[in-house]
């Protein structure tokens, strides 16, 4: 078997009695864009810093092409870094900032000039070479930081919340730039963010962290459509978790019985006993209005509208089930009818992707 490009094996890091990271294991292929996503304090940055060499792990290993990097000092790991805060040298011009890592590596003058030019072109700042950092916007400063981090062609680039200090519009613009730079250079990127939309937009794969562990590693689509557990299901996208009873089927295909007796087919990776109390995950967009003429065999739920917001492309409803649970619903607006507060509706359920989890 060939060695993975970058391998993290059984990584743990404790600070006194605080466990920041435990049992983190993942393989990263060359050229991949992998994002560490998760709530604040879940161990994303610690994992990144151990890979960079700024922190020693309490246990585990980090291997590049099969060789442990633990005894290689950070400056010899050849890993580029971009941080949340602008870290440009304020007294150096844009060009000199990008040239800095090359000067440290004692490259020739001609090499440095050519590389600085190419890097500024890559981040579309060729016209800004002589500016000082203070004369640039936050987004431009991060693009210079990106150019500087890539100037010496590191095989791996680590980015720790690089856009967290920027406003939403600028963030989206730079996300696009980062994605383009990734495609153009083929550099392997490990990226930390707590913003799921950013993770979905940028990544080949997402490692979803919680309490120092990876809950699930996969494409954004894997995490959204096949969440491994309730944490993943609630973190990625929006979900309803409705209380239900388990009705055992076969394989992963089972049924749940809602409190009003409605039966819905649903997946569970865990086999449970009949009548076990469970939660069934239903995404808000799994519903459609049921019309009188629709087949009565289709699973449907009766609800009362508690709140309706028209958002142009969707109508967002908060509804209440007969047994008193809230159910969030997103419907495509229909010209014939816009649900109003207090309306009694019957909602058809698209049962293609219902999942069963534990109740808490
Ligand atoms: P994230 O990047 O997901 O926000 P971190 O990796 O920064 O999370 O932190 C994980 C946990 O480790 C948190 O509980 C944090 O308070 C703790 N932690 C991180 N760095 C230190 C440190 N230098 N000393 C003590 N505790 C730390």
């Amino acid at each position: 078997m060939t060695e993975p490009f970058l391998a993290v094996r059984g990584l743990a890091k404790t600070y006194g009695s605080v466990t920041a990271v435990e049992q983190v294991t993942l393989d990263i292929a060359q050229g991949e864009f992998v994002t560490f996503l998760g709530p604040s304090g879940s161990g994303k940055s610690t994992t990144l810093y151990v890979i960079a060499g700024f922190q020693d792990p309490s246990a585990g290993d980090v291997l590049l092409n099969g060789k442990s990097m633990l005894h290689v000092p950070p400056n010899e790991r050849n890993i580029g870094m971009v941080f949340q805060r602008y870290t440009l040298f304020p007294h150096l011009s844009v060009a000199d900032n990008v040239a800095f890592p090359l000067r440290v590596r004692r490259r020739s003058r001609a090499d440095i000039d050519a590389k600085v030019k190419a890097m500024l072109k890559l981040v579309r700042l060729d016209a800004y070479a002589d500016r000082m950092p203070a004369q640039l916007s936050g987004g431009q400063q991060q693009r210079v930081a990106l150019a500087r981090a890539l100037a010496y062609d590191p095989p791996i680039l680590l980015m720790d919340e690089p856009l967290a200090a920027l406003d939403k519009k600028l963030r989206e613009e730079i996300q696009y730039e980062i994605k383009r730079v990734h495609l153009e250079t083929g550099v392997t990127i490990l990226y930390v963010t707590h913003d799921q939309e950013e993770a979905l937009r940028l990544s080949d794969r997402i490692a979803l962290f919680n309490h120092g562990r990876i809950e699930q590693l996969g494409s954004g689509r894997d995490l959204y459509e096949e969440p491994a557990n309730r944490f993943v299901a609630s973190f990625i996208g929006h979900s309803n978790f409705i209380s239900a009873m388990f009705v055992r089927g076969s394989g992963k295909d089972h049924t749940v019985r809602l409190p009003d007796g409605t039966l819905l087919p649903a997946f569970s990776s865990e086999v449970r006993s009949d009548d076990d109390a469970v939660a069934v995950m239903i995404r808000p967009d799994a519903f459609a209005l049921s019309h009188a003429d629709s087949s009565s065999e289709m699973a449907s739920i009766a609800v009362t509208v508690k709140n309706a917001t028209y958002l142009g492309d969707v109508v967002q409803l908060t509804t209440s089930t007969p047994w008193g649970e809230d159910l969030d619903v997103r419907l495509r607006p229909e010209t014939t009818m816009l649900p109003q507060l207090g309306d009694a509706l019957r909602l058809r359920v698209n049962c293609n992707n219902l999942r069963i989890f534990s109740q808490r």
Side-chain angles (χ1 to χ4, degrees):
M1 210 183 83
T2 56
E3 295 286 354
F5 176 61
L6 180 66
V8 176
R9 292 275 173 269
L11 207 67
K13 177 71 182 172
T14 51
Y15 296 102
S17 62
V18 177
T19 301
V21 170
E22 58 183 333
Q23 292 179 20
V24 166
T25 291
L26 76 161
D27 286 350
I28 293 153
Q30 191 156 19
E32 235 190 328
F33 195 128
V34 174
T35 296
F36 297 170
L37 175 67
S40 173
S42 59
K44 310 179 296 290
S45 303
T46 302
T47 304
L48 202 73
Y49 290 164
V50 170
I51 295 171
F54 302 149
Q55 298 277 8
D56 289 326
S58 310
D61 204 350
V62 178
L63 304 116
L64 184 63
N65 292 316
K67 286 203 193 92
S68 176
M69 290 204 287
L70 289 192
H71 301 292
V72 181
N75 59 330
E76 288 171 26
R77 290 192 188 188
N78 241 355
I79 290 178
M81 264 312 301
V82 179
F83 299 91
Q84 171 177 352
R85 295 276 152 217
Y86 317 135
T87 48
L88 301 180
F89 303 113
H91 58 289
L92 295 182
S93 70
V94 165
D96 286 337
N97 262 284
V98 178
F100 186 83
L102 302 168
R103 295 213 170 100
V104 170
R105 286 170 175 76
R106 301 188 182 288
R107 299 281 173 81
S108 74
R109 179 84 195 251
D111 269 6
I112 293 176
D113 287 351
K115 196 70 194 182
V116 168
K117 225 172 161 176
M119 284 296 119
L120 289 179
K121 189 153 184 254
L122 179 71
V123 298
R124 300 187 206 251
L125 286 175
D126 1 11
Y128 292 75
D130 298 327
R131 294 252 188 127
M132 300 305 281
Q135 297 172 300
L136 301 178
S137 70
Q140 288 168 335
Q141 291 189 37
Q142 282 307 61
R143 278 150 66 193
V144 177
L146 179 61
R148 185 180 61 182
L150 290 173
Y152 57 93
D153 298 318
I156 301 171
L157 178 64
L158 306 182
M159 305 181 86
D160 189 11
E161 301 254 8
L163 310 183
L166 307 178
D167 66 42
K168 187 167 159 52
K169 185 165 181 316
L170 205 53
R171 233 169 30 227
E172 283 174 13
E173 230 173 270
I174 307 207
Q175 283 163 6
Y176 169 79
E177 292 288 316
I178 292 172
K179 189 89 198 157
R180 186 179 54 74
V181 166
H182 176 242
L183 288 174
E184 281 182 28
T185 59
V187 65
T188 304
I189 298 184
L190 296 186
Y191 191 100
V192 167
T193 185
H194 62 272
D195 176 346
Q196 59 155 302
E197 201 178 309
E198 183 163 294
L200 290 168
R201 191 169 289 160
L202 291 172
S203 327
D204 296 318
R205 285 190 303 159
I206 296 171
L208 183 56
F209 278 72
N210 188 30
H211 298 309
R213 293 167 181 254
I214 296 179
E215 297 271 3
Q216 192 170 357
L217 174 66
S219 68
R221 192 167 177 180
D222 290 342
L223 270 59
Y224 186 82
E225 292 186 358
E226 292 180 38
N229 54 46
R230 187 163 171 160
F231 173 80
V232 180
S234 58
F235 198 89
I236 306 283
H238 191 85
S239 294
N240 295 291
F241 295 96
I242 300 297
S243 35
M245 302 283 231
F246 190 78
V247 182
R248 192 170 167 170
S250 67
K252 288 188 171 187
D253 298 320
H254 305 277
T255 302
V256 288
R257 190 182 327 107
L258 300 185
D260 67 350
T262 305
L263 295 172
L264 302 173
F267 297 109
S268 176
S269 42
E270 226 178 285
V271 177
R272 299 157 202 263
S273 308
D274 274 338
D275 295 332
D276 272 1
V278 292
V280 59
M281 179 198 94
I282 312 180
R283 299 279 186 194
D285 52 13
F287 299 100
L289 281 180
S290 174
H291 295 288
D293 58 353
S294 64
S295 154
S296 58
E297 284 170 29
M298 207 97 164
S300 66
I301 307 180
V303 296
T304 312
V305 177
K306 284 172 72 179
N307 187 37
T309 313
Y310 176 78
L311 293 173
D313 53 345
V314 293
V315 179
Q316 201 164 293
L317 305 177
T318 307
T319 67
S320 178
T321 61
W323 59 94
E325 279 185 302
D326 275 0
L327 191 63
D328 290 333
V329 174
R330 285 165 70 85
L331 294 177
R332 250 173 266 138
E334 298 185 35
T335 45
T336 46
M337 108 125 190
L338 249 178
Q340 305 288 327
L341 189 73
D343 280 357
L345 303 177
R346 196 155 252 296
L347 299 171
R348 262 186 301 135
V349 188
N350 174 350
C351 297
N352 284 340
N353 230 339
L354 307 189
R355 290 187 181 262
I356 301 168
F357 295 113
S358 55
Q359 270 202 334
R360 278 283 139 230

